[in-house]
Amino acid sequence: FVFYRAGYEAAAKHFVPGDLDVNLKGKSFMITGANSGIGKAAANEIAKRGGTVHLVCRNKDRAEEAKREIIAQSNNENVHVHILDMSSPRQIWEFAENFKKENNLNVLINNAGCMVNQRELTEDGLEKNFATNTLGTYILTTALIPALKSADAPRVITVSSGGMLVQKLNIADLQFEKGQFDGTMAYAQNKRQQVILTEQWSKQHKDIHFSSMHPGWADTPAVRLSMPDFYEKMKNKLRSETQGADTVVWLAVSPSAATQASGQFYQDRKPVSAHLPLASTRSSAGDEQKLLTVLEQLAEKFNPKTAQSSD
């Protein structure tokens, strides 16, 4: 119930009405995967409040179309398109380096994600879900931390998923090389990894406010495409894209979100446990440290700066 539209409607009765009455003029927001679904809905809400919005998307035509719609709906011209494939670590490093030279950044919203149902490798030999959802998110965030630190009250929000609640970090098989491949499970593992990253980053960078969140089950193109059976069965109960994006926007812009402790997992504007009772999904500090080490080593391998100096 809580993840569906009815859950949102029940929770919304307790929202603080003025939380989103903010003027975001002069503030800069980057949103990955912003040409549809929750990313686009969040971009639209931020643009309506005067924020400068950077849409980071893979598909140029769809991104330009989203930009036109957001400008039309928000009457805000400060909407910019950047083309980037989040499964390509080198591209992400280069993009972030160039972006920092020309732009300020107050808030990063890691929303892009993919759920590929067959095990597929990128041109770099990385499993595609892991490359996009985990390594891509890790590199983009890491590369942009210096830009965020020089901004006023910076924030990083990562859009996770309820699927991660039934997954415990499996450090022994991050790229799903063993056993039968299951795209839904791979995605849920990646989403658990994002929640752990958020917790770890909040300890490392005290001057940035980190959070992860679960948007509930929303009627988005991604859900229709990657979970067709679920969609057919539940389509009348799903949240709208705007309802799914509500907590993303709240975490990105509201003054009250910034008063919460950094590193938490949210649902409908409230911090909730990232673990179900009795689910045994907690990982050891050692495994979480290993995840960071593996990602750091992989990230450095594709970083043009370090790759050049080690050649």
Side-chain angles (χ1 to χ4, degrees), residues 192-205:
R192 167 61 72 193
Q193 291 154 7
Q194 290 178 344
V195 169
I196 292 170
L197 283 175
T198 298
E199 293 165 357
Q200 296 296 329
W201 283 327
S202 71
K203 294 174 196 164
Q204 292 170 350
H205 308 285

Side-chain angles (χ1 to χ4, degrees), residues 10 20 38 42-43 59 71 77 88 117 124 145-146 149 166 172 186 190 195 214 265 276:
L20 298 184
I38 284 162
N59 182 307
I71 290 174
E77 295 282 335
S88 169
N117 287 315
D124 297 305
I145 277 173
K149 285 192 170 182
V166 296
N190 298 157
V195 169
H214 171 26
F265 178 66
L276 295 172

Side-chain angles (χ1 to χ4, degrees), residues 96-114:
E97 288 308 317
N98 292 328
F99 182 87
K100 287 187 292 198
K101 288 176 195 154
E102 289 156 25
N103 306 278
N104 298 335
L105 186 62
N106 296 85
V107 179
L108 168 63
I109 298 172
N110 289 311
N111 165 72
C114 76

Side-chain angles (χ1 to χ4, degrees), residues 123-138:
E123 57 183 25
D124 297 305
L126 300 163
E127 190 277 322
K128 192 151 193 190
N129 294 292
F130 170 80
T132 306
N133 303 328
T134 303
L135 184 61
T137 298
Y138 175 84

Side-chain angles (χ1 to χ4, degrees), residues 1-302:
F1 159 80
V2 288
F3 293 166
Y4 296 101
R5 190 189 317 139
Y8 173 83
E9 286 163 355
K13 294 189 175 108
H14 306 284
F15 291 170
V16 177
D19 267 2
L20 298 184
D21 297 345
V22 289
N23 178 358
L24 302 175
K25 201 166 167 39
K27 288 205 156 178
S28 167
F29 298 78
M30 181 187 291
I31 307 171
T32 63
N35 61 13
S36 69
I38 284 162
K40 183 178 164 195
N44 201 12
E45 292 300 315
I46 289 166
K48 280 179 186 167
R49 290 164 177 78
T52 296
V53 181
H54 295 277
L55 312 176
V56 175
C57 310
R58 199 179 45 188
N59 182 307
K60 190 165 178 8
D61 295 342
R62 292 222 305 262
E64 292 292 349
E65 190 184 337
K67 172 183 166 171
R68 281 194 295 275
E69 284 175 31
I70 293 165
I71 290 174
Q73 286 169 0
S74 65
N75 290 322
N76 178 350
E77 295 282 335
N78 291 320
V79 182
H80 308 281
V81 164
H82 306 269
I83 303 304
L84 176 66
D85 181 349
M86 286 296 293
S87 73
S88 169
R90 274 186 200 88
Q91 258 192 51
I92 300 171
W93 276 120
E94 283 164 4
F95 161 73
E97 288 308 317
N98 292 328
F99 182 87
K100 287 187 292 198
K101 288 176 195 154
E102 289 156 25
N103 306 278
N104 298 335
L105 186 62
N106 296 85
V107 179
L108 168 63
I109 298 172
N110 289 311
N111 165 72
C114 76
M115 190 196 290
V116 182
N117 287 315
Q118 250 64 52
R119 189 168 189 276
E120 195 183 305
L121 298 182
T122 67
E123 57 183 25
D124 297 305
L126 300 163
E127 190 277 322
K128 192 151 193 190
N129 294 292
F130 170 80
T132 306
N133 303 328
T134 303
L135 184 61
T137 298
Y138 175 84
I139 292 177
L140 186 64
T141 306
T142 303
L144 291 172
I145 277 173
L148 288 159
K149 285 192 170 182
S150 58
D152 179 37
R155 307 183 192 189
V156 175
I157 298 101
T158 300
V159 179
S160 183
S161 153
M164 73 98 203
L165 289 166
V166 296
Q167 291 291 326
K168 178 182 177 175
L169 173 68
N170 178 6
I171 195 70
D173 192 19
L174 290 174
Q175 300 199 49
F176 317 105
E177 292 158 277
K178 302 168 187 165
Q180 187 71 34
F181 182 79
D182 176 341
T184 311
M185 196 207 75
Y187 180 80
Q189 262 292 324
N190 298 157
K191 293 292 165 182
R192 167 61 72 193
Q193 291 154 7
Q194 290 178 344
V195 169
I196 292 170
L197 283 175
T198 298
E199 293 165 357
Q200 296 296 329
W201 283 327
S202 71
K203 294 174 196 164
Q204 292 170 350
H205 308 285
K206 303 283 191 206
D207 40 358
I208 301 176
H209 191 276
F210 288 91
S211 51
S212 58
M213 59 77 69
H214 171 26
W217 299 116
D219 187 343
T220 63
V223 168
R224 293 195 284 270
L225 189 72
S226 55
M227 302 164 77
D229 301 346
F230 169 80
Y231 176 75
E232 272 312 309
K233 209 162 64 200
M234 296 299 180
K235 59 184 176 192
N236 299 324
K237 294 182 175 168
L238 298 177
R239 298 174 173 211
S240 70
E241 292 174 343
T242 305
Q243 290 172 341
D246 175 80
T247 296
V248 179
V249 176
W250 181 81
L251 285 166
V253 311
S254 79
S256 51
T259 64
Q260 300 275 358
S262 182
Q264 298 188 93
F265 178 66
Y266 289 79
Q267 189 186 306
D268 292 331
R269 301 194 192 182
K270 274 211 313 266
V272 294
S273 173
H275 301 276
L276 295 172
L278 310 175
S280 316
T281 49
R282 291 175 196 277
S283 40
S284 69
D287 278 358
E288 297 190 353
Q289 196 45 57
K290 252 184 230 163
L291 174 68
L292 285 178
T293 306
V294 169
L295 291 173
E296 195 180 335
Q297 287 169 346
L298 268 174
E300 282 309 302
K301 189 176 128 185
F302 294 106

